[in-house]
Amino acid sequence: MNGISDTQLVSALRRQMTIAVAKQVASAGNLANVDTPEYKAVEVNFASALDERLTPPAATHSKHFSTASSGAISTQEIPGVTPRRDGNTVQLDQELLTMNRAGGDFSAAQTALAAKFRLVRYAINEGR
Amino acid sequence: MSSTLGAINAFGKDPIASKAKAATVPEGGVGESFGQSLMNLVENVEQSGADANQAVSNMLDKSGDVHDAMIALQRAEMTLQLTVQIRNKLVQAYQDVMRMPV
Amino acid sequence: MPTLSSAINASASALAAERTRIEVAVSNMANAESTRGPDGQPYRRRDVVLAPDRTSSFDSALGKAGAVGVSVAAVVEDQAPFRRRYEPTHPDADPEGFVTLPNVEPQNEMVDLIGASRAYQANLTAISLIRDLVSRALELGR
């Protein structure tokens, strides 16, 4: 059957959660330094976040799937923000928004993963 | 039983084309055999599982909604549970029949 | 999760730092008219210098950076000149009738106070969001 295997899905769910955590950590650091002079706000690297996509286009060999989740997550300075008078680039509402969104992403992935576990566990228990 | 599966199928009007077949259990033994019905049930389980995987994947790359994924997961769970219950009942009925004195 | 606990540490450090800023702003405002301190001089405005706290941010166990915290590097006295106001009836007026007043502008202190309060609130929110994340992650183990 042509579809997404369970292992792929679990791997992708894990990655979504890891990225959500990274975003929260970055935002927490930014919020802590909202009043620090010369501090530049950081964000999760866009390229590493893109690896969330489950099925890379035209992936035919099973070996392709493992690379989707193995990229390290890194942070970079948020580009294009005009610093305030003290050199700080942290935008308070932006960071809070990011944290809330990341929390939502994490919740969705965690609930889906818990549901998959429950399904498998049921099959194991009742399939005797 | 066919209406229950029909209800599960109707529960989620998800964008994914579900190829689940409504399993029909023949009343008087005419028509599809038990084996065929069981095969249909297993296919339903597999299909609902694949649909759920697709829905979750869509949720992850933002091409689908969270609620669709959650509904698809629930459908997969219900289909599995229903199928297991049917299997249990069939096994029980078989054992009952085998115990009958000839 | 190690990096998440570093995030909570960062937010907690901000709570302490912003509270210091609030305390200093309040002290400045309260002493805006203090013409004679214990050293006989008018009150000199104080300023909080914040610096990023990168020492606790690197999570060596994971080999990657956690959240950057903040710390109060110093509380310094503002060296801006004192204000002078013509008020000959004031007990601390000099022979020409001028009083030397602290270099405090109450409206500036108010702005700092409000900013520090907002930052304090935001970091409180951050802590609760992270805590939610951790408890949801724990649910996976159930």
PDB file of all heavy atoms in Angstrom, chain B residues 16 29 34 36 52 100:
ATOM      1  N   ILE B  16      -9.988  13.440   2.789  1.00  0.00           N
ATOM      2  CA  ILE B  16      -9.309  12.282   2.200  1.00  0.00           C
ATOM      3  C   ILE B  16     -10.355  11.316   1.692  1.00  0.00           C
ATOM      4  O   ILE B  16     -11.264  10.928   2.417  1.00  0.00           O
ATOM      5  CB  ILE B  16      -8.443  11.584   3.259  1.00  0.00           C
ATOM      6  CG1 ILE B  16      -7.454  12.599   3.847  1.00  0.00           C
ATOM      7  CG2 ILE B  16      -7.709  10.439   2.665  1.00  0.00           C
ATOM      8  CD1 ILE B  16      -6.975  12.199   5.184  1.00  0.00           C
ATOM      9  N   GLY B  29     -26.634 -16.427   5.542  1.00  0.00           N
ATOM     10  CA  GLY B  29     -25.549 -17.243   5.020  1.00  0.00           C
ATOM     11  C   GLY B  29     -25.453 -17.190   3.512  1.00  0.00           C
ATOM     12  O   GLY B  29     -24.592 -17.809   2.916  1.00  0.00           O
ATOM     13  N   PHE B  34     -18.266 -15.668   5.289  1.00  0.00           N
ATOM     14  CA  PHE B  34     -17.695 -15.048   6.488  1.00  0.00           C
ATOM     15  C   PHE B  34     -16.282 -14.570   6.231  1.00  0.00           C
ATOM     16  O   PHE B  34     -15.869 -13.509   6.663  1.00  0.00           O
ATOM     17  CB  PHE B  34     -17.697 -16.037   7.652  1.00  0.00           C
ATOM     18  CG  PHE B  34     -18.949 -15.996   8.468  1.00  0.00           C
ATOM     19  CD1 PHE B  34     -19.380 -17.124   9.158  1.00  0.00           C
ATOM     20  CD2 PHE B  34     -19.718 -14.835   8.571  1.00  0.00           C
ATOM     21  CE1 PHE B  34     -20.535 -17.081   9.913  1.00  0.00           C
ATOM     22  CE2 PHE B  34     -20.872 -14.805   9.319  1.00  0.00           C
ATOM     23  CZ  PHE B  34     -21.293 -15.933   9.990  1.00  0.00           C
ATOM     24  N   GLN B  36     -14.917 -13.594   3.546  1.00  0.00           N
ATOM     25  CA  GLN B  36     -14.882 -12.368   2.761  1.00  0.00           C
ATOM     26  C   GLN B  36     -15.229 -11.159   3.628  1.00  0.00           C
ATOM     27  O   GLN B  36     -14.616 -10.101   3.534  1.00  0.00           O
ATOM     28  CB  GLN B  36     -15.877 -12.476   1.584  1.00  0.00           C
ATOM     29  CG  GLN B  36     -15.762 -11.359   0.570  1.00  0.00           C
ATOM     30  CD  GLN B  36     -14.370 -11.243  -0.006  1.00  0.00           C
ATOM     31  OE1 GLN B  36     -13.769 -12.246  -0.404  1.00  0.00           O
ATOM     32  NE2 GLN B  36     -13.831 -10.051  -0.029  1.00  0.00           N
ATOM     33  N   ALA B  52      -5.713   7.939   8.655  1.00  0.00           N
ATOM     34  CA  ALA B  52      -5.279   8.710   9.830  1.00  0.00           C
ATOM     35  C   ALA B  52      -3.842   9.185   9.643  1.00  0.00           C
ATOM     36  O   ALA B  52      -3.524  10.343   9.927  1.00  0.00           O
ATOM     37  CB  ALA B  52      -5.415   7.863  11.090  1.00  0.00           C
ATOM     38  N   MET B 100     -21.968 -27.655  20.323  1.00  0.00           N
ATOM     39  CA  MET B 100     -23.296 -28.270  20.228  1.00  0.00           C
ATOM     40  C   MET B 100     -23.173 -29.757  19.970  1.00  0.00           C
ATOM     41  O   MET B 100     -22.367 -30.172  19.135  1.00  0.00           O
ATOM     42  CB  MET B 100     -24.090 -27.638  19.062  1.00  0.00           C
ATOM     43  CG  MET B 100     -24.601 -26.260  19.363  1.00  0.00           C
ATOM     44  SD  MET B 100     -25.441 -25.640  17.888  1.00  0.00           S
ATOM     45  CE  MET B 100     -25.541 -23.928  18.296  1.00  0.00           C
TER      46      MET B 100
END
